[in-house]
Amino acid sequence: MRPVPRVREAATKTMQESDVRDETWVRIEALLDAALDVPTDMREAWLRGQSAPSGIVAEVARLLQAVELGRDFLEAPSSGQASSDARPYSLDPGDRAGVWRVVRAIGRGGMGEVYEVARDDGQFAQRAALKLLGHVAPGAWERFETERRILARLEHPGIARLIDGGHLDAGRPYMVMEYVDGVAVHEWCTVHRASVDDAVAVVLDACDALAYAHSRLVVHRDLKPSNLLVDERGRVRLIDFGVALLTDAVDGDDRRAPLSLGYAAPEQLAGRPVGTAADVYGIAAVLHRLLTGQAPYGSGLPSALAAMQGADLRVAPLRERAVARPDSRRARRLLDDLDAILARAIQPDPADRYPTLEALAGDLRRAQRGAVVDARSGESGYRLRRVAYQYRWRFTTLAAVIGSLGVGLGVAVWQAREAAHQRDAALREQARLEAVQQAVFHMFRSAGALKGSDASAADVLDNAAQRIVHEFAREPGDAAPVLHTLGELYFLITDYEAAEPLLRRLADADPAEVDPALIAAGRYDLAQVRLQQGRADDAHALLAEAQAFWSADSRRWRSRLVDSRLLEAQLLRQAGRADEAVQLLRDGLIERIALSGAHHRETGVFHNNIGVALFGQGRLDEAREAFVAAGGVWQASGLDQSPDALNTLNNWGAVEVASGHPAAAEPLLARAVDLRRRQYGPSAATAALLSNYGKTRLQRGDAVGALPLLREAETMGAQYAGVGSLHHAAAAAGVVEASLAVGDVAGAERTARAAHAAARSTLGAEHPGAVMATLALARVRAAQGHVGEATRRLADAERASAGLGAQGQRFIAQAADIRTRYRLTATAP
């Protein structure tokens, strides 16, 4: 007997129409094997003569019919290249079809032949693809004409559009389509070593095109990798609607339309009615091919029969079969989500699949960004785990995020050499993590209590804080770690007014009830809040109390003492002792490297803060060196996408701008803007960064590109920092300069006058923000020819700048530049 692939090896014993037990399926398979050895024209009579039960005979007859259907009408996989068989093509290079001249044969498929053609009517040059009916089979002419009608209805950038059509002299129809110079999607993924995200992205592009076709009542019905081409710009283009069906038309029996093994839905293989669910199955099968290298059930006939039977293949998880191996926790999580999504999309029963392409695409996009996917919503505990992961930056990585502020907020892991100190540090870190977990737990409790309302994340945080304050009053020792964590969270989102009372309760706690080490940490964090609130005296006293506690056992708390120099240096700078601040930070850097190494995160924070201190003194070259060193730490430690790296990019870009090197600053600030937008969205800090980036573009002569960035920064600064704030005034000054550069003098004046009035009212005339607004107004009035007013405004700005140190000197230089540009007379401040 000749070997026949066995369906049972590819499928389980579950049949689609009845719950056939294992032994019954064995008998069906054995009878099918025997029938396949009987000549085709004798099988029916042979089968009627078998003594098997009628149900088994009927099932074998149905499978034999599917085998014959597959042999005649299932298309062989196409490589996308010209066929290598000996059959000649119908058209040769140089032949004509209407106004089109054949350039070369591209390939042939189940319905026809495809050629590259060029327009040859002398009007204009155009490259296209011509499809010619290759053979006449039942229904083929009608399907070909249907394809022409369908493509004429579809206008979408993801679908190769119909250009022309007609008949050859012999009466054979042809259509001319947009030529897609691309490769099949699976070949593109192989060549480009596509990641899992890349594969999902190209399938999402195809989903958009298919969803458009479905909205025009068109079902493709022949989705496979060779019908999804990726062009040279990386765009996915859908081709070949040769077996598509107009769902609002009555086409009669269409069961003999060509199909593609491995990608056709079970209802297509079984000859049942086909709708949009078949395309859901097909595009999911394509994604499975891109991820694993094969279609869900393979591409052979036995596998197609297994799919038709509704087989439930028991396969290993995608993370074990994926072509691109997962190299991170996120990649493994994404593959787990895709497992569930694909399992739903290729369900044997169309009613169990995603109802639309949009629903499938929505789950794929949620999987990419780590949100809850519908396909897994029924799993126990899944939704809570996924929400926790989605908000991991806010709730579980506080130390990394808060460190970007350059203040070292959070309890560091003790890395002393002595084993006892290492044990203590590990215990403290464990307590820290437990506190974070409790804080997150309370937030989810709050979210549950607020479910159904319009509560924001801030509302959830406020509700959790209220709960913890009440618990702290009853059990201060147990609630103190969570109270500390929530206070840090408020500090993270720059809500200092909300952070202050929480940290104050901890700082004032009774050491007999609350761990004294936690009280010291609370005092240190409260000192940072008070500094941000403009109360440097309070901050200094609180810092001294925390340092006194740590100094009592300096060996144990050496790491905390070193980190506390970050805040101490800020206070020194506030007091005008900049040189002392720089030296303190440099000493701290040496100790931090000795404790943690050259590439530790805290080492990078010290480099960054040294750069900030040097920049404030106008020592730009030294500041640049410090920021370059910080950037090296982020790169070496894998933190180049972290908030710390963002902070350094911004600072480094500012140094380049101040040094007169806008070309060097622009790529740094562009990276920082992109990172901040993706990580944090709109905020006062994002406004400041946008302002810096826009002003850099302006310095490079790109006023048109700079203006929208600066206007966005002005609006965002007013919204998140307040009208008249430093962020608002700085961005408004940039808007004024860019508006003048593009010739909008009236708009520049309106912006300048509003910002000047708001800044002086909010900040006072001597504040740097007010000085920036004054200079902007002077610039506008000088441009309008109002020399007297412009001169007075410049004198006001110079007078206020005299006491602002290095920053004031930069303002005075800007005033001098305005005088020179508009030929104004200098007035001594």
Side-chain angles (χ1 to χ4, degrees):
M1 294 178 62
R2 58 180 174 80
V4 178
R6 302 172 72 85
V7 176
R8 188 167 179 257
E9 294 174 357
T12 66
K13 307 168 184 68
T14 303
M15 301 297 291
Q16 180 180 10
E17 297 171 352
S18 63
D19 186 14
V20 182
R21 293 187 302 181
D22 293 357
E23 58 271 20
T24 302
W25 175 248
V26 171
R27 296 182 65 183
I28 290 173
E29 186 184 31
L31 190 59
L32 175 62
D33 283 350
L36 289 172
D37 286 319
V38 176
T40 303
D41 57 352
M42 300 174 60
R43 285 176 185 167
E44 184 176 354
W46 178 87
L47 192 59
R48 285 199 303 268
Q50 301 304 305
S51 60
S54 59
I56 291 178
V57 172
E59 186 63 32
V60 171
R62 191 168 71 85
L63 291 175
L64 286 170
Q65 182 182 12
V67 169
E68 293 306 314
L69 179 68
R71 284 179 176 170
D72 291 339
F73 295 98
L74 289 171
E75 290 188 273
S78 172
S79 66
Q81 304 298 325
S83 175
S84 61
D85 63 37
R87 290 180 297 145
Y89 277 90
S90 303
L91 299 176
D92 295 320
D95 288 349
R96 294 179 62 87
V99 300
W100 302 94
R101 174 175 49 82
V102 175
V103 176
R104 65 184 178 97
I106 297 176
R108 54 164 57 100
M111 279 187 58
E113 301 169 352
V114 182
Y115 301 85
E116 179 186 347
V117 296
R119 194 177 189 96
D120 194 25
D121 58 359
Q123 295 186 16
F124 55 88
Q126 188 175 15
R127 187 184 187 191
L130 181 146
K131 185 171 183 179
L132 176 68
L133 190 65
H135 64 275
V136 178
W141 290 85
E142 292 80 2
R143 284 195 303 275
F144 195 84
E145 293 292 344
T146 295
E147 183 177 11
R148 287 174 53 180
R149 294 195 303 271
I150 288 172
L151 284 178
R153 298 171 58 169
L154 302 180
E155 287 286 344
H156 187 278
I159 298 175
R161 61 187 179 86
L162 176 67
I163 299 174
D164 194 5
H167 292 79
L168 298 180
D169 293 340
R172 295 173 62 184
Y174 67 86
M175 70 171 68
V176 181
M177 298 169 291
E178 179 183 3
Y179 184 88
V180 179
D181 190 4
V183 297
V185 64
H186 62 298
E187 297 173 357
W188 182 89
C189 287
T190 299
V191 170
H192 290 81
R193 297 181 180 179
S195 66
V196 174
D197 276 300
D198 295 332
V200 173
V202 295
V203 167
L204 281 171
D205 285 347
C207 284
D208 290 341
L210 282 169
Y212 167 82
H214 288 182
S215 72
R216 298 299 187 272
L217 304 180
V218 176
V219 183
H220 190 285
R221 297 201 308 164
D222 192 25
L223 293 169
K224 55 187 175 182
S226 59
N227 278 344
L228 275 68
L229 303 185
V230 184
D231 64 21
E232 57 187 6
R233 288 188 282 182
R235 297 181 307 176
V236 178
R237 310 295 299 280
L238 191 58
I239 64 169
D240 200 353
F241 275 83
V243 296
L245 174 69
L246 284 170
T247 56
D248 59 348
V250 179
D251 286 59
D253 184 5
D254 198 53
R255 290 175 296 174
R256 297 179 66 81
L259 303 174
S260 299
L261 285 174
Y263 303 95
E267 61 268 26
Q268 292 178 272
L269 295 168
R272 295 193 297 273
V274 171
T276 57
D279 281 354
V280 172
Y281 183 101
I283 199 65
V286 170
L287 178 57
H288 192 283
R289 167 69 173 79
L290 301 184
L291 295 176
T292 68
Q294 64 179 17
Y297 294 92
S299 57
L301 181 59
S303 297
L305 294 176
M308 190 173 72
Q309 297 302 314
D312 178 19
L313 295 188
R314 306 302 182 188
V315 295
L318 277 177
R319 66 166 68 180
E320 299 177 14
R321 298 181 291 128
V323 174
R325 292 298 181 186
D327 57 358
S328 66
R329 179 183 176 186
R330 178 194 174 277
R332 292 190 293 272
R333 174 193 52 75
L334 176 58
L335 286 175
D336 289 344
D337 284 347
L338 293 177
D339 259 323
I341 291 171
L342 290 176
R344 179 177 177 184
I346 61 173
Q347 284 292 311
D349 187 344
D352 293 333
R353 300 174 200 153
Y354 288 94
T356 63
L357 260 302
E358 292 91 341
L360 170 61
D363 242 7
L364 290 173
R365 290 189 172 96
R366 283 187 286 273
Q368 281 191 310
R369 66 174 186 265
V372 175
V373 298
D374 291 344
R376 300 183 65 185
S377 59
E379 294 182 23
S380 177
Y382 163 75
R383 183 174 295 273
L384 181 62
R385 294 194 307 272
R386 181 49 48 85
V387 171
Y389 176 84
Q390 189 176 6
Y391 291 100
R392 63 197 183 282
W393 284 105
R394 182 172 296 172
F395 296 146
T396 62
T397 59
L398 298 176
V401 177
I402 297 169
S404 69
L405 304 174
V407 292
L409 191 64
V411 178
V413 178
W414 180 246
Q415 297 187 14
R417 297 176 182 176
E418 294 84 352
H421 291 176
Q422 291 177 343
R423 183 186 64 247
D424 291 344
L427 292 173
R428 289 196 301 274
E429 182 64 11
Q430 180 180 357
R432 167 72 168 174
L433 292 175
E434 290 174 354
V436 171
Q437 292 169 355
Q438 287 297 314
V440 174
F441 169 73
H442 281 281
M443 288 176 195
F444 283 126
R445 284 180 60 192
S446 300
L450 298 171
K451 187 175 180 180
S453 71
D454 295 327
S456 65
D459 295 329
V460 173
L461 186 56
D462 290 343
N463 194 278
Q466 292 174 11
R467 289 175 179 268
I468 293 303
V469 167
H470 291 313
E471 291 188 20
F472 183 81
R474 295 195 304 268
E475 298 290 342
D478 294 337
V482 185
L483 188 73
H484 184 213
T485 297
L486 290 176
E488 290 180 326
L489 276 171
Y490 275 118
F491 187 95
L492 167 64
I493 62 176
T494 67
D495 190 346
Y496 306 126
E497 299 305 316
E500 197 272 341
L502 298 181
L503 295 173
R504 174 67 68 184
R505 287 176 179 269
L506 183 59
D508 294 342
D510 185 350
E513 296 180 324
V514 175
D515 181 1
L518 193 57
I519 294 175
R523 288 172 178 170
Y524 179 75
D525 294 342
L526 181 59
Q528 298 177 79
V529 170
R530 297 303 278 164
L531 177 61
Q532 296 296 326
Q533 292 175 323
R535 297 298 301 273
D537 50 349
D538 286 357
H540 190 277
L542 288 162
L543 173 62
E545 291 175 354
Q547 288 180 326
F549 173 81
W550 295 325
S551 296
D553 189 353
S554 58
R555 291 183 60 197
R556 180 183 182 189
W557 300 107
R558 183 183 173 195
S559 183
R560 290 310 312 263
L561 282 168
V562 170
D563 289 343
S564 72
R565 295 184 182 182
L566 296 166
L567 177 57
E568 187 177 353
Q570 286 184 291
L571 291 169
L572 288 172
R573 289 173 53 210
Q574 287 260 340
R577 298 158 62 183
D579 288 335
E580 294 178 54
V582 171
Q583 189 58 50
L584 182 69
L585 289 171
R586 283 179 166 163
D587 292 342
L589 173 63
I590 294 172
E591 289 193 70
R592 174 46 65 190
I593 292 174
L595 281 170
S596 309
H599 295 146
H600 190 270
R601 179 187 159 273
E602 296 297 338
T603 302
V605 171
F606 268 94
H607 281 302
N608 181 80
N609 283 23
I610 289 171
V612 171
L614 291 168
F615 181 73
Q617 290 184 287
R619 298 158 64 178
L620 302 182
D621 290 340
E622 294 176 81
R624 181 187 296 107
E625 291 176 3
F627 293 134
V628 170
V633 173
W634 311 140
Q635 191 70 37
S637 58
L639 297 173
D640 54 323
Q641 297 292 308
S642 69
D644 295 307
L646 187 155
N647 195 31
T648 297
L649 284 171
N650 184 31
N651 295 336
W652 187 356
V655 165
E656 299 297 353
V657 170
S659 301
H661 304 141
E666 185 172 345
L668 297 170
L669 295 174
R671 283 164 51 198
V673 166
D674 177 66
L675 183 57
R676 179 162 280 283
R677 283 189 190 278
R678 286 189 285 110
Q679 297 280 19
Y680 303 109
S683 69
T686 303
L689 187 53
L690 281 168
S691 179
N692 290 343
Y693 182 38
K695 289 177 181 178
T696 303
R697 296 277 294 268
L698 187 59
Q699 285 190 27
R700 300 202 66 195
D702 183 14
V704 173
L707 190 55
L709 292 168
L710 292 164
R711 283 178 173 158
E712 183 183 3
E714 180 193 16
T715 301
M716 196 181 297
Q719 179 180 357
Y720 291 94
V723 175
S725 65
L726 176 60
H727 294 84
H728 175 232
V735 171
V736 168
E737 189 172 354
S739 298
L740 289 174
V742 300
D744 183 10
V745 179
E749 183 181 4
R750 287 194 299 271
T751 300
R753 290 198 180 279
H756 182 257
R760 288 174 67 89
S761 174
T762 302
L763 303 172
E766 309 297 320
H767 192 279
V771 175
M772 281 189 262
T774 302
L775 287 169
L777 183 55
R779 188 186 301 275
V780 172
R781 300 305 280 165
Q784 293 173 321
H786 296 280
V787 175
E789 182 180 350
T791 301
R792 290 195 301 274
R793 300 291 186 190
L794 289 174
D796 290 343
E798 290 167 330
R799 190 176 300 109
S801 299
L804 295 178
Q807 185 177 29
Q809 292 304 311
R810 290 194 290 273
F811 290 149
I812 291 172
Q814 290 179 34
D817 178 71
I818 295 172
R819 291 181 190 280
T820 301
R821 179 176 301 183
Y822 296 104
R823 300 180 180 179
L824 304 179
T825 302
T827 301

mmCIF file with all atom_site columns, all heavy atoms in Angstrom, residues 272-284:
data_model
loop_
_atom_site.group_PDB
_atom_site.id
_atom_site.type_symbol
_atom_site.label_atom_id
_atom_site.label_alt_id
_atom_site.label_comp_id
_atom_site.label_asym_id
_atom_site.label_entity_id
_atom_site.label_seq_id
_atom_site.pdbx_PDB_ins_code
_atom_site.Cartn_x
_atom_site.Cartn_y
_atom_site.Cartn_z
_atom_site.occupancy
_atom_site.B_iso_or_equiv
_atom_site.pdbx_formal_charge
_atom_site.auth_seq_id
_atom_site.auth_comp_id
_atom_site.auth_asym_id
_atom_site.auth_atom_id
_atom_site.pdbx_PDB_model_num
ATOM 1  N N   . ARG A 1 272 ? -19.362 25.302 2.950  1.00 0.00 ? 272 ARG A N   1
ATOM 2  C CA  . ARG A 1 272 ? -20.494 25.976 3.573  1.00 0.00 ? 272 ARG A CA  1
ATOM 3  C C   . ARG A 1 272 ? -20.481 27.463 3.231  1.00 0.00 ? 272 ARG A C   1
ATOM 4  O O   . ARG A 1 272 ? -19.477 27.987 2.722  1.00 0.00 ? 272 ARG A O   1
ATOM 5  C CB  . ARG A 1 272 ? -20.445 25.777 5.089  1.00 0.00 ? 272 ARG A CB  1
ATOM 6  C CG  . ARG A 1 272 ? -20.618 24.318 5.511  1.00 0.00 ? 272 ARG A CG  1
ATOM 7  C CD  . ARG A 1 272 ? -20.878 24.212 7.010  1.00 0.00 ? 272 ARG A CD  1
ATOM 8  N NE  . ARG A 1 272 ? -19.748 24.706 7.783  1.00 0.00 ? 272 ARG A NE  1
ATOM 9  C CZ  . ARG A 1 272 ? -18.695 23.975 8.143  1.00 0.00 ? 272 ARG A CZ  1
ATOM 10 N NH1 . ARG A 1 272 ? -18.617 22.702 7.756  1.00 0.00 ? 272 ARG A NH1 1
ATOM 11 N NH2 . ARG A 1 272 ? -17.728 24.491 8.859  1.00 0.00 ? 272 ARG A NH2 1
ATOM 12 N N   . PRO A 1 273 ? -21.548 28.202 3.525  1.00 0.00 ? 273 PRO A N   1
ATOM 13 C CA  . PRO A 1 273 ? -21.585 29.646 3.225  1.00 0.00 ? 273 PRO A CA  1
ATOM 14 C C   . PRO A 1 273 ? -20.436 30.387 3.908  1.00 0.00 ? 273 PRO A C   1
ATOM 15 O O   . PRO A 1 273 ? -20.032 30.051 5.028  1.00 0.00 ? 273 PRO A O   1
ATOM 16 C CB  . PRO A 1 273 ? -22.942 30.075 3.794  1.00 0.00 ? 273 PRO A CB  1
ATOM 17 C CG  . PRO A 1 273 ? -23.775 28.831 3.750  1.00 0.00 ? 273 PRO A CG  1
ATOM 18 C CD  . PRO A 1 273 ? -22.830 27.704 4.038  1.00 0.00 ? 273 PRO A CD  1
ATOM 19 N N   . VAL A 1 274 ? -19.909 31.383 3.233  1.00 0.00 ? 274 VAL A N   1
ATOM 20 C CA  . VAL A 1 274 ? -18.726 32.101 3.697  1.00 0.00 ? 274 VAL A CA  1
ATOM 21 C C   . VAL A 1 274 ? -19.058 33.568 3.889  1.00 0.00 ? 274 VAL A C   1
ATOM 22 O O   . VAL A 1 274 ? -19.709 34.188 3.032  1.00 0.00 ? 274 VAL A O   1
ATOM 23 C CB  . VAL A 1 274 ? -17.568 31.947 2.684  1.00 0.00 ? 274 VAL A CB  1
ATOM 24 C CG1 . VAL A 1 274 ? -16.406 32.855 3.044  1.00 0.00 ? 274 VAL A CG1 1
ATOM 25 C CG2 . VAL A 1 274 ? -17.113 30.504 2.637  1.00 0.00 ? 274 VAL A CG2 1
ATOM 26 N N   . GLY A 1 275 ? -18.596 34.137 5.027  1.00 0.00 ? 275 GLY A N   1
ATOM 27 C CA  . GLY A 1 275 ? -18.775 35.565 5.299  1.00 0.00 ? 275 GLY A CA  1
ATOM 28 C C   . GLY A 1 275 ? -17.472 36.187 5.753  1.00 0.00 ? 275 GLY A C   1
ATOM 29 O O   . GLY A 1 275 ? -16.388 35.642 5.538  1.00 0.00 ? 275 GLY A O   1
ATOM 30 N N   . THR A 1 276 ? -17.583 37.335 6.413  1.00 0.00 ? 276 THR A N   1
ATOM 31 C CA  . THR A 1 276 ? -16.381 38.056 6.840  1.00 0.00 ? 276 THR A CA  1
ATOM 32 C C   . THR A 1 276 ? -15.563 37.264 7.848  1.00 0.00 ? 276 THR A C   1
ATOM 33 O O   . THR A 1 276 ? -14.358 37.493 7.992  1.00 0.00 ? 276 THR A O   1
ATOM 34 C CB  . THR A 1 276 ? -16.768 39.407 7.449  1.00 0.00 ? 276 THR A CB  1
ATOM 35 O OG1 . THR A 1 276 ? -17.665 39.192 8.548  1.00 0.00 ? 276 THR A OG1 1
ATOM 36 C CG2 . THR A 1 276 ? -17.439 40.305 6.417  1.00 0.00 ? 276 THR A CG2 1
ATOM 37 N N   . ALA A 1 277 ? -16.194 36.312 8.552  1.00 0.00 ? 277 ALA A N   1
ATOM 38 C CA  . ALA A 1 277 ? -15.448 35.500 9.524  1.00 0.00 ? 277 ALA A CA  1
ATOM 39 C C   . ALA A 1 277 ? -14.341 34.688 8.851  1.00 0.00 ? 277 ALA A C   1
ATOM 40 O O   . ALA A 1 277 ? -13.349 34.336 9.490  1.00 0.00 ? 277 ALA A O   1
ATOM 41 C CB  . ALA A 1 277 ? -16.397 34.565 10.276 1.00 0.00 ? 277 ALA A CB  1
ATOM 42 N N   . ALA A 1 278 ? -14.502 34.393 7.553  1.00 0.00 ? 278 ALA A N   1
ATOM 43 C CA  . ALA A 1 278 ? -13.452 33.662 6.846  1.00 0.00 ? 278 ALA A CA  1
ATOM 44 C C   . ALA A 1 278 ? -12.185 34.499 6.737  1.00 0.00 ? 278 ALA A C   1
ATOM 45 O O   . ALA A 1 278 ? -11.069 33.973 6.806  1.00 0.00 ? 278 ALA A O   1
ATOM 46 C CB  . ALA A 1 278 ? -13.939 33.262 5.461  1.00 0.00 ? 278 ALA A CB  1
ATOM 47 N N   . ASP A 1 279 ? -12.339 35.810 6.571  1.00 0.00 ? 279 ASP A N   1
ATOM 48 C CA  . ASP A 1 279 ? -11.165 36.685 6.515  1.00 0.00 ? 279 ASP A CA  1
ATOM 49 C C   . ASP A 1 279 ? -10.530 36.837 7.896  1.00 0.00 ? 279 ASP A C   1
ATOM 50 O O   . ASP A 1 279 ? -9.312  37.010 8.008  1.00 0.00 ? 279 ASP A O   1
ATOM 51 C CB  . ASP A 1 279 ? -11.548 38.058 5.956  1.00 0.00 ? 279 ASP A CB  1
ATOM 52 C CG  . ASP A 1 279 ? -11.682 38.041 4.445  1.00 0.00 ? 279 ASP A CG  1
ATOM 53 O OD1 . ASP A 1 279 ? -11.361 36.999 3.838  1.00 0.00 ? 279 ASP A OD1 1
ATOM 54 O OD2 . ASP A 1 279 ? -12.122 39.055 3.873  1.00 0.00 ? 279 ASP A OD2 1
ATOM 55 N N   . VAL A 1 280 ? -11.342 36.810 8.954  1.00 0.00 ? 280 VAL A N   1
ATOM 56 C CA  . VAL A 1 280 ? -10.784 36.820 10.307 1.00 0.00 ? 280 VAL A CA  1
ATOM 57 C C   . VAL A 1 280 ? -9.888  35.606 10.494 1.00 0.00 ? 280 VAL A C   1
ATOM 58 O O   . VAL A 1 280 ? -8.765  35.700 10.995 1.00 0.00 ? 280 VAL A O   1
ATOM 59 C CB  . VAL A 1 280 ? -11.913 36.843 11.361 1.00 0.00 ? 280 VAL A CB  1
ATOM 60 C CG1 . VAL A 1 280 ? -11.341 36.650 12.763 1.00 0.00 ? 280 VAL A CG1 1
ATOM 61 C CG2 . VAL A 1 280 ? -12.691 38.154 11.288 1.00 0.00 ? 280 VAL A CG2 1
ATOM 62 N N   . TYR A 1 281 ? -10.380 34.447 10.064 1.00 0.00 ? 281 TYR A N   1
ATOM 63 C CA  . TYR A 1 281 ? -9.583  33.226 10.146 1.00 0.00 ? 281 TYR A CA  1
ATOM 64 C C   . TYR A 1 281 ? -8.321  33.355 9.298  1.00 0.00 ? 281 TYR A C   1
ATOM 65 O O   . TYR A 1 281 ? -7.205  33.036 9.737  1.00 0.00 ? 281 TYR A O   1
ATOM 66 C CB  . TYR A 1 281 ? -10.421 32.040 9.665  1.00 0.00 ? 281 TYR A CB  1
ATOM 67 C CG  . TYR A 1 281 ? -9.716  30.700 9.786  1.00 0.00 ? 281 TYR A CG  1
ATOM 68 C CD1 . TYR A 1 281 ? -10.010 29.837 10.831 1.00 0.00 ? 281 TYR A CD1 1
ATOM 69 C CD2 . TYR A 1 281 ? -8.772  30.296 8.845  1.00 0.00 ? 281 TYR A CD2 1
ATOM 70 C CE1 . TYR A 1 281 ? -9.367  28.609 10.954 1.00 0.00 ? 281 TYR A CE1 1
ATOM 71 C CE2 . TYR A 1 281 ? -8.126  29.074 8.957  1.00 0.00 ? 281 TYR A CE2 1
ATOM 72 C CZ  . TYR A 1 281 ? -8.427  28.230 10.004 1.00 0.00 ? 281 TYR A CZ  1
ATOM 73 O OH  . TYR A 1 281 ? -7.783  27.031 10.130 1.00 0.00 ? 281 TYR A OH  1
ATOM 74 N N   . GLY A 1 282 ? -8.480  33.832 8.069  1.00 0.00 ? 282 GLY A N   1
ATOM 75 C CA  . GLY A 1 282 ? -7.349  33.889 7.144  1.00 0.00 ? 282 GLY A CA  1
ATOM 76 C C   . GLY A 1 282 ? -6.235  34.799 7.613  1.00 0.00 ? 282 GLY A C   1
ATOM 77 O O   . GLY A 1 282 ? -5.055  34.436 7.555  1.00 0.00 ? 282 GLY A O   1
ATOM 78 N N   . ILE A 1 283 ? -6.587  35.991 8.093  1.00 0.00 ? 283 ILE A N   1
ATOM 79 C CA  . ILE A 1 283 ? -5.527  36.921 8.505  1.00 0.00 ? 283 ILE A CA  1
ATOM 80 C C   . ILE A 1 283 ? -4.854  36.411 9.779  1.00 0.00 ? 283 ILE A C   1
ATOM 81 O O   . ILE A 1 283 ? -3.648  36.612 9.982  1.00 0.00 ? 283 ILE A O   1
ATOM 82 C CB  . ILE A 1 283 ? -6.092  38.348 8.699  1.00 0.00 ? 283 ILE A CB  1
ATOM 83 C CG1 . ILE A 1 283 ? -4.966  39.370 8.653  1.00 0.00 ? 283 ILE A CG1 1
ATOM 84 C CG2 . ILE A 1 283 ? -6.871  38.484 9.976  1.00 0.00 ? 283 ILE A CG2 1
ATOM 85 C CD1 . ILE A 1 283 ? -4.272  39.473 7.324  1.00 0.00 ? 283 ILE A CD1 1
ATOM 86 N N   . ALA A 1 284 ? -5.617  35.728 10.652 1.00 0.00 ? 284 ALA A N   1
ATOM 87 C CA  . ALA A 1 284 ? -5.003  35.129 11.843 1.00 0.00 ? 284 ALA A CA  1
ATOM 88 C C   . ALA A 1 284 ? -4.058  33.998 11.445 1.00 0.00 ? 284 ALA A C   1
ATOM 89 O O   . ALA A 1 284 ? -2.990  33.832 12.039 1.00 0.00 ? 284 ALA A O   1
ATOM 90 C CB  . ALA A 1 284 ? -6.085  34.613 12.787 1.00 0.00 ? 284 ALA A CB  1
#
